[in-house]
Amino acid sequence: MRPTLGILIRFKNSAATLPRVLHRLHAQTLRPHTILGVDTGSTDGSAALITQAGGSVVAWTQPYHHARVLNYGLTHLQTDLILVLSSHTTLDDDDALEQMCAAFENPRVACVSAKWDDDPYYSDAITWDELLVKGLKFGSIYSNSMGMIRRKAWEAVPFDETLLTAEDYAWAIEQLRLGHICKRLPLRFGYDRSGHDRTFEFAQLVFHFARRYKLHVAWLGATRSLQQMLKALVMPRPGMPSPAFHYQRLKAWALMRFTAASSFSGR
């Protein structure tokens, strides 16, 4: 029996992007059983776009918080599989949902999402053993911008509401630790969003997760990062990461070392 599929879309004033997102959902070869929108404070008619597309909407009236909004929305969906989709992310392959659902035929798969890039560092079926060998990278294992999860996996481990962001990264790591698999698929997608630079914020969380799970971080290291930062300052080249990029990661590493030392000394 084919598992049921629901779509969860968080939105706020997304009338400019939602029509395309919903159009691409309706173009899928596999239609979802239900679409649920979580309105986090829209004033531009976004909610009506969801209902006009055949979906339903619930309101989130508290301050926005990634994990809390997700957990709240997921309590209103009872389908076996749930695609968590941002209100600015389109699935550009007509069979994207079909491909994602097929991945769950393996009972060990907890989640699947589209690949952000062609970086071959991780396999397309990541396991805990692979993470132990390769460590944590400053990149995506699973993304709540366009990721499908198994409801039972979420029921056992909800998204961590102590985290302000990267709740998807933390959740995926925990699923791997429990013996599950995170799949990645080479799907085409559109991502129409701009935001502030989160290099430091994300690097800080990666170092935090690595320490929590006793994993190493797969990066250049402090010495080589400093060398690359100086090189980018003296001889900048097109396509080369900026000095600020390396500085933000070094700052996150230094803060991690300082907090670890402070904790050890009891200060």
Side-chain angles (χ1 to χ4, degrees):
M1 184 176 179
R2 173 171 283 183
T4 54
L5 171 62
I7 311 292
L8 178 64
I9 303 175
R10 300 153 289 158
F11 66 91
K12 179 180 180 180
N13 293 338
S14 301
T17 57
L18 269 174
R20 172 68 176 167
V21 172
L22 295 166
H23 170 73
R24 291 305 310 150
L25 284 176
H26 284 293
Q28 292 293 306
T29 54
L30 176 64
R31 294 296 183 89
H33 293 80
T34 184
I35 298 174
L36 175 70
V38 181
D39 188 346
T40 61
S42 291
T43 58
D44 68 347
S46 294
L49 295 173
I50 299 280
T51 56
Q52 289 166 10
S56 57
V57 174
V58 294
W60 174 263
T61 57
Q62 300 176 39
Y64 186 81
H65 183 287
H66 289 293
R68 291 174 188 164
V69 170
L70 283 165
N71 287 334
Y72 174 75
L74 287 164
T75 61
H76 290 80
L77 281 171
Q78 301 302 316
T79 51
D80 302 312
L81 304 176
I82 299 161
L83 174 69
V84 181
L85 190 65
S86 293
S87 60
H88 47 265
T89 304
T90 58
L91 300 177
D92 293 342
D93 288 318
D94 290 351
D95 63 345
L97 291 182
E98 198 164 355
Q99 289 190 59
M100 285 180 153
C101 286
F104 289 92
E105 292 175 5
N106 182 342
R108 287 186 60 198
V109 171
C111 59
V112 57
S113 61
K115 297 171 66 172
W116 281 102
D117 50 45
D118 295 326
D119 187 348
Y121 187 77
Y122 290 123
S123 72
D124 290 341
I126 305 171
T127 64
W128 180 248
D129 286 342
E130 182 176 352
L131 219 57
L132 289 174
V133 173
K134 296 182 178 179
L136 289 183
K137 200 168 184 290
F138 299 110
S140 178
I141 291 177
Y142 160 80
S143 172
N144 273 336
S145 289
M146 49 186 167
M148 190 178 292
I149 65 174
R150 195 184 297 274
R151 180 178 177 81
K152 287 183 178 179
W154 169 78
E155 289 175 339
V157 181
F159 290 105
D160 187 348
E161 297 186 3
T162 68
L163 297 172
L164 295 179
T165 188
E167 78 296 329
D168 44 6
Y169 203 151
W171 188 83
I173 294 171
E174 184 62 17
Q175 293 300 323
L176 296 178
R177 189 190 68 81
L178 292 171
H180 302 307
I181 295 171
C182 291
K183 287 276 291 184
R184 304 188 306 159
L185 297 177
L187 300 172
R188 294 183 302 122
F189 63 90
Y191 188 75
D192 184 16
R193 185 184 182 186
S194 60
H196 69 280
D197 186 349
R198 298 198 302 165
T199 301
F200 169 73
E201 184 180 24
F202 193 72
Q204 190 176 15
L205 285 165
V206 169
F207 283 120
H208 169 71
F209 297 152
R211 187 166 62 180
R212 175 191 291 181
Y213 289 99
K214 295 181 173 57
L215 299 167
H216 70 273
V217 177
W219 71 308
L220 293 176
T223 301
R224 288 185 61 198
S225 292
L226 180 59
Q227 291 171 344
Q228 290 299 311
M229 183 178 74
L230 294 174
K231 184 176 180 180
L233 278 169
V234 177
M235 297 183 297
R237 291 182 301 176
M240 176 187 291
S242 68
F245 175 84
H246 294 293
Y247 171 74
Q248 297 297 341
R249 288 188 174 179
L250 282 165
K251 185 169 70 169
W253 170 82
L255 181 61
M256 179 272 297
R257 293 291 297 268
F258 173 77
T259 55
S262 297
S263 176
F264 180 77
S265 65
R267 290 200 301 267

